[in-house]
């Protein structure tokens, strides 16, 4: 095994360990930028069921990128740049016709933070609200 392959394996194992909360995604790259760490990822590409009809489909209608904030690593902010598919419903009579795939448990609909970061912020807010004034 060449040294470059060994280094790539180490980097991949570090990325999967440091970002284990993102296991629902396929991590394509992790880059340190001046304002933090950017994890570029995509969904698995598996068929997804339509929210209305439930029929699974993998027919891609389009894609877009979401950029939710993730739990900081080593005091550096982390943003996940995840490519999300818009899929065409497999049912000809479905009124929805297309729908965005979701990543439940990781990125909830309309949220700008991952579920893990939201949970951590919620705990911090509760702790801060529960403190008594030191005056
Ligand atoms: Zn449908």
């Amino acid at each position: 095994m060449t040294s470059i392959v060994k280094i790539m394996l180490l980097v991949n194992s570090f990325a999967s360990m440091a970002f284990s909360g993102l296991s629902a995604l396929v991590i394509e790259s992790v880059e340190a930028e001046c304002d933090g760490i950017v994890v570029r990822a995509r969904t698995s590409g598996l068929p997804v069921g339509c929210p209305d009809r439930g029929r699974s489909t993998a027919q891609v209608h389009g894609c877009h990128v979401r950029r939710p904030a993730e739990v900081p690593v080593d005091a550096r902010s982390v943003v996940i740049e995840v490519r999300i598919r818009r899929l065409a419903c497999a049912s000809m009579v479905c009124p929805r016709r297309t729908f965005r795939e979701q990543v439940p448990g990781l990125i909830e609909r309309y949220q700008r933070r991952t579920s893990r970061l939201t949970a951590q912020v919620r705990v911090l807010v509760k702790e801060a609200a529960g403190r008594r004034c030191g005056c």
Side-chain angles (χ1 to χ4, degrees):
M1 194 180 310
T2 66
S3 60
I4 292 175
V5 172
K6 287 180 185 174
I7 290 170
M8 289 303 293
L9 288 174
L10 286 172
V11 168
N12 284 339
S13 90
F14 172 75
S16 64
M17 199 170 52
F19 302 106
S20 60
L22 307 179
S23 60
L25 301 174
V26 177
I27 296 176
E28 295 178 330
S29 70
V30 178
E31 294 178 26
E33 297 187 354
C34 51
D35 55 343
I37 297 171
V38 177
V39 178
R40 290 186 175 84
R42 61 177 171 80
T43 54
S44 66
L46 295 173
V48 177
C50 170
D52 285 346
R53 300 288 170 171
R55 290 182 62 183
S56 292
T57 181
Q59 184 180 350
V60 178
H61 180 76
C63 291
H64 73 279
V65 174
R66 289 184 67 183
R67 294 180 50 92
E70 168 62 329
V71 175
V73 172
D74 195 26
R76 298 188 72 182
S77 65
V78 176
V79 169
I80 307 167
E81 220 175 73
V82 60
R83 197 170 56 239
I84 302 284
R85 299 176 297 169
R86 175 171 285 281
L87 299 165
C89 182
S91 171
M92 297 296 286
V93 294
C94 179
R96 190 178 290 261
R97 301 183 71 174
T98 65
F99 61 95
R100 274 193 270 177
E101 65 181 332
Q102 301 296 315
V103 190
L106 179 62
I107 310 166
E108 300 303 327
R109 189 182 299 262
Y110 306 120
Q111 297 301 307
R112 299 183 73 170
R113 300 184 190 119
T114 62
S115 301
R116 285 193 326 164
L117 182 57
T118 299
Q120 286 192 5
V121 169
R122 190 171 292 135
V123 168
L124 290 173
V125 167
K126 280 183 181 175
E127 285 182 16
R131 286 192 188 141
R132 294 177 184 228
C133 180
C135 303

